[in-house]
Amino acid sequence: MKDKEGHGFYNEDNILKSNHKTLSLLYQTDQLMSPIGIRQAYRKLMSPTIVSGDLNNIAIGYVDSVDSEYAKRLAKKWKFHYLGDVAAANKQPQLEFVLQMHHHALELCKLDEPKLGAIKVDFVEGAVAHRRKFGGGRGQDIAKAVGLKHGFTPHVLDATAGLGRDAFVLAGLGCRLTLLERMPVVAALLHDGIERAKLNHEVAEVANNMQLIHGSSLEEMDLADAPDVVYLDPMYPHREKSAAVKKEMRIFQSLVGEDLDADGLLAPALALAKYRVVVKRPSYAPPLADKKPSMSINMKKNRFDVYVKKAIPKPIS
């Protein structure tokens, strides 16, 4: 069945009955929902082998000396080599990437392809700001996928946060977001974008709904507060040829490589989520771990695969 916009809709009770046996094979949550089990599931999502990847090909520096002290603090926080003035990168042939402080914002540059320009996280202007203002509010497909309803605004764990765009949309709709990012480079960019957004009066409230968790802060988490929804958007090869996608994908794939462990994210995600797991996939990609979802919401280029564990609570009248 489809709604008036052509999207599939569903009856949660029927889905739970028809998919219980299939989904129960994916997550055995009873033994995982203790604090120790939750921490283990978070660790699986963080994938320590990726977190501890080789960082010898990247350094952090500044474009203007006014940002030098902040760049030093970032280098210490994220354990990057401190370069000083980014012009010094020309004398270090082992470097492939530079994180640079430029106009009080952290940017990522690929040194051998300067025409690609710099990547930064910007929640105040550009496409993200336009989506916040004109994206359709709670009628957006992503809002439907996470189960955002009148009387229910979930705590969402974005376990593959990346540049935080989808998380920012959900936070703007009132959801409380916990963001996991395994790659220190990407986490540093995201942290910088969130902190800058907190200084802007238009989006400060949204940014304050977003808590970024990285490897060194995992032990500090409140493990009693399991998320209602876990959201996954693992990197997948894109077919689109647009300049924006090509630029970001070329930089991130050369930096991070392929997301070879993506299928392994589904089981710990299902162990953590109270109500559902949402997986964003390109329309041509198979389901994550080849596991059939409870439902899918199809869009032009992507889809949301939804794995329902139990029905979202109805508002108390």
Side-chain angles (χ1 to χ4, degrees):
M1 299 180 70
K2 296 181 180 292
D3 63 16
K4 63 182 180 181
E5 297 178 356
H7 304 302
F9 66 93
Y10 63 102
N11 179 290
E12 286 189 347
D13 291 334
N14 290 339
I15 284 176
L16 290 168
K17 292 176 182 177
S18 62
N19 289 278
H20 176 73
K21 290 184 179 179
T22 301
L23 294 179
S24 65
L25 297 175
L26 286 173
Y27 49 87
Q28 304 293 329
T29 58
D30 291 342
Q31 72 272 25
L32 284 173
M33 293 313 291
S34 67
I36 293 176
I38 292 176
R39 193 182 300 277
Q40 289 173 343
Y42 270 107
R43 283 183 175 137
K44 289 179 182 178
L45 287 171
M46 291 296 287
S47 185
T49 56
I50 292 182
V51 173
S52 59
D54 182 14
L55 298 178
N56 292 327
N57 64 345
I58 187 165
I60 188 168
Y62 58 83
V63 175
D64 191 310
S65 60
V66 70
D67 290 320
S68 62
E69 290 302 316
Y70 187 58
K72 285 181 183 178
R73 291 198 297 271
L74 288 181
K76 183 177 181 180
K77 174 182 175 64
W78 297 103
K79 297 179 174 57
F80 294 123
H81 171 66
Y82 178 64
L83 186 63
D85 191 320
V86 293
N90 294 328
K91 300 178 182 179
Q92 300 194 33
Q94 81 279 8
L95 294 180
E96 298 179 47
F97 303 92
V98 165
L99 282 167
Q100 62 182 28
M101 284 303 302
H102 188 208
H103 297 312
H104 309 296
L106 188 65
E107 302 175 338
L108 175 66
C109 300
K110 193 171 187 291
L111 291 174
D112 63 351
E113 295 188 81
K115 291 184 179 180
L116 290 177
I119 291 176
K120 68 177 180 180
V121 174
D122 188 354
F123 295 128
V124 179
E125 299 178 346
V128 175
H130 186 272
R131 185 177 176 187
R132 175 176 59 87
K133 296 176 181 177
F134 308 108
R138 290 186 171 225
Q140 297 179 69
D141 290 316
I142 191 171
K144 298 175 184 177
V146 302
L148 204 155
K149 298 180 179 180
H150 176 70
F152 180 75
T153 304
H155 169 204
V156 180
L157 169 65
D158 185 345
T160 52
L163 297 180
R165 291 170 181 154
D166 287 342
F168 186 78
V169 169
L170 293 172
L173 297 175
C175 298
R176 180 162 62 90
L177 266 291
T178 300
L179 297 89
L180 294 184
E181 177 48 52
R182 301 177 290 173
M183 284 299 301
V185 175
V186 183
L189 290 168
L190 181 54
H191 177 266
D192 180 72
I194 293 173
E195 293 304 306
R196 283 186 285 108
K198 290 178 180 179
L199 301 176
N200 182 278
H201 71 278
E202 289 189 14
V203 296
E205 184 177 355
V206 178
N208 282 318
N209 276 341
M210 302 168 69
Q211 178 192 13
L212 175 62
I213 303 296
H214 52 89
S216 62
S217 60
L218 185 58
E219 297 300 325
E220 302 170 10
M221 293 184 63
D222 180 5
L223 298 180
D225 189 17
D228 298 311
V229 177
V230 176
Y231 181 80
L232 298 173
D233 182 11
M235 188 178 294
Y236 196 87
H238 283 264
R239 292 177 176 173
E240 294 89 340
K241 300 298 183 181
S242 70
V245 171
K246 188 175 181 181
K247 167 185 169 180
E248 290 187 359
M249 289 303 297
R250 282 175 65 181
I251 291 179
F252 279 124
Q253 285 187 341
S254 61
L255 176 67
V256 180
E258 295 183 32
D259 210 345
L260 298 177
D261 68 337
D263 286 347
L265 298 175
L266 186 57
L270 286 162
L272 281 170
K274 292 180 183 177
Y275 298 105
R276 60 177 61 183
V277 171
V278 177
V279 183
K280 185 176 182 180
R281 300 292 275 169
S283 56
Y284 55 84
L288 197 62
D290 290 322
K291 301 299 182 182
K292 184 179 178 180
S294 308
M295 60 167 282
S296 293
I297 298 176
N298 296 306
M299 301 169 286
K300 184 177 180 181
K301 296 181 179 180
N302 302 297
R303 72 176 187 274
F304 293 114
D305 289 341
V306 183
Y307 298 83
V308 177
K309 289 180 65 174
K310 63 180 179 179
I312 289 171
K314 296 179 180 179
I316 301 175
S317 56

